[in-house]
Amino acid sequence: MTIENVSVNKSFAGWQKQYSHFAKTVNCNMRFAIYLPPQASSGQKVPVLYWLSGLTCTDENFMQKSAAQRIAAELGMAIVAPDTSPRGEGVADDESYDLGQGAGFYVNANQSPWDRHYHMYDYVVHELPELIESMFPVSDKRAIAGHSMGGHGALTIGMLNPERYCSMSAFSPISNPMTCPWGQKAFTAYLGKDKATWRNHDASELMREAKQFVPAKVDQGAADNFLLEQLKPDALLAAANVSGYPLEYQLHDGYDHSYYFISSFIEQHLCFHATHLNG
């Protein structure tokens, strides 16, 4: 498999790198960022946290704004951040920010014209980890996390693949996309109008029916403008109560939907994942 190094920067004695490669699952070139902690330079295979970003983001937002590298270096944890969708000439798009390029929602689209490229679920779950584990000094110990649309992706992917992930976490996730405008718009476009097919991509639905548990942590800002209409954390909490899911949830007064919120609590999330990756 051929990958092209786009950039490299030293950070906290480790290396922040960006790569481009052709991805078969999405049928186009994709870009991802990876932080390799200093332990990875000494021949040690390190565990990996996969980070999924939100609407309009790329692979760069989290790596540049979260301040996660310092903690990852201390914990000996790699971080991989893929782009949020396929991109490029010939890739279907929409004029709005919440559909198309930058808004892949981490599902496998089965509706035209999206089904030609928008297989982000397969890319995140299978193709990208296979590439990372074959090209870099990392182990097969994986955790998954994300923000907003990426929080939706992290929780649903984690619950659909409990054998692949040691833990999962989310900041401000779209918790019940079947009932919110963002989710309804994207699912109708990518998956069609049969709402029964949407349930496998709704964190609240999956958590309510869960029989296998992946340790989960969710943080939400109480001053988030999207809290009631789009994110609906109460649906996730109700679902966890039904199934007895081990969900650690915190609501933080004054915090909004931004990376100011994420950077304030990212250390707690990385330590949460390190406990399970090393446990």
Side-chain angles (χ1 to χ4, degrees):
M1 187 177 294
T2 302
I3 63 174
E4 177 185 356
N5 183 225
V6 177
S7 66
V8 57
N9 301 91
K10 195 164 189 179
S11 178
F12 295 99
W15 293 99
Q16 178 68 49
K17 300 184 178 185
Q18 190 179 50
Y19 289 90
S20 174
H21 73 111
F22 181 81
K24 293 180 180 179
T25 50
V26 294
N27 192 32
C28 68
N29 285 325
M30 288 292 287
R31 199 173 65 186
F32 68 87
I34 182 169
Y35 177 70
L36 292 168
Q39 294 85 343
S41 297
S42 61
Q44 178 182 342
K45 286 194 172 185
V46 297
V48 184
L49 173 69
Y50 289 86
W51 175 270
L52 308 182
S53 289
L55 289 167
T56 75
C57 291
T58 69
D59 59 297
E60 295 182 328
N61 296 72
F62 177 79
M63 293 301 197
Q64 293 181 2
K65 296 180 179 180
S66 69
Q69 289 88 347
R70 178 181 65 83
I71 313 303
E74 293 176 6
L75 296 172
M77 178 190 301
I79 302 175
V80 173
D83 202 347
T84 52
S85 78
R87 297 180 192 268
E89 186 176 352
V91 175
D93 199 9
D94 189 87
E95 293 181 355
S96 60
Y97 74 95
D98 53 359
L99 187 67
Q101 296 187 32
F105 268 83
Y106 306 103
V107 301
N108 286 340
N110 56 29
Q111 303 293 303
S112 180
W114 312 103
D115 55 352
R116 185 180 177 196
H117 296 285
Y118 283 75
H119 296 151
M120 286 298 293
Y121 176 91
D122 282 347
Y123 178 69
V124 168
V125 175
H126 299 295
E127 185 171 7
L128 183 59
E130 288 172 8
L131 183 156
I132 297 298
E133 290 166 21
S134 67
M135 302 291 290
F136 298 97
V138 302
S139 71
D140 61 359
K141 291 285 189 179
R142 311 176 198 96
I144 191 164
H147 170 232
S148 194
M149 177 186 72
H152 138 78
L155 296 179
T156 56
I157 286 172
M159 285 187 280
L160 288 169
N161 300 274
E163 74 288 351
R164 292 184 63 86
Y165 301 100
C166 298
S167 53
M168 61 186 187
S169 74
F171 288 88
S172 316
I174 304 173
S175 296
N176 195 195
M178 291 181 66
T179 66
C180 80
W182 280 341
Q184 290 170 343
K185 180 178 180 177
F187 286 2
T188 299
Y190 298 146
L191 304 176
K193 295 181 180 180
D194 182 3
K195 293 186 177 181
T197 66
W198 298 4
R199 294 185 181 278
N200 269 354
H201 302 286
D202 187 299
S204 295
E205 294 293 327
L206 290 172
M207 193 164 283
R208 182 179 294 106
E209 302 296 329
K211 298 295 188 292
Q212 291 180 273
F213 298 154
V214 178
K217 177 176 175 61
V218 170
D219 283 78
Q220 173 64 58
D224 193 319
N225 290 337
F226 304 113
L227 180 62
L228 298 179
E229 183 182 22
Q230 301 283 14
L231 306 179
K232 300 182 180 292
D234 287 348
L236 192 70
L237 291 171
N241 286 333
V242 170
S243 63
Y245 208 97
L247 172 63
E248 179 184 322
Y249 176 83
Q250 287 184 288
L251 182 67
H252 300 273
D253 287 341
Y255 287 92
D256 58 19
H257 200 69
S258 71
Y259 269 84
Y260 294 110
F261 174 43
I262 294 171
S263 61
S264 297
F265 297 100
I266 191 62
E267 180 172 0
Q268 295 178 11
H269 278 244
L270 266 60
C271 289
F272 168 81
H273 289 297
T275 298
H276 296 286
L277 287 165
N278 299 323

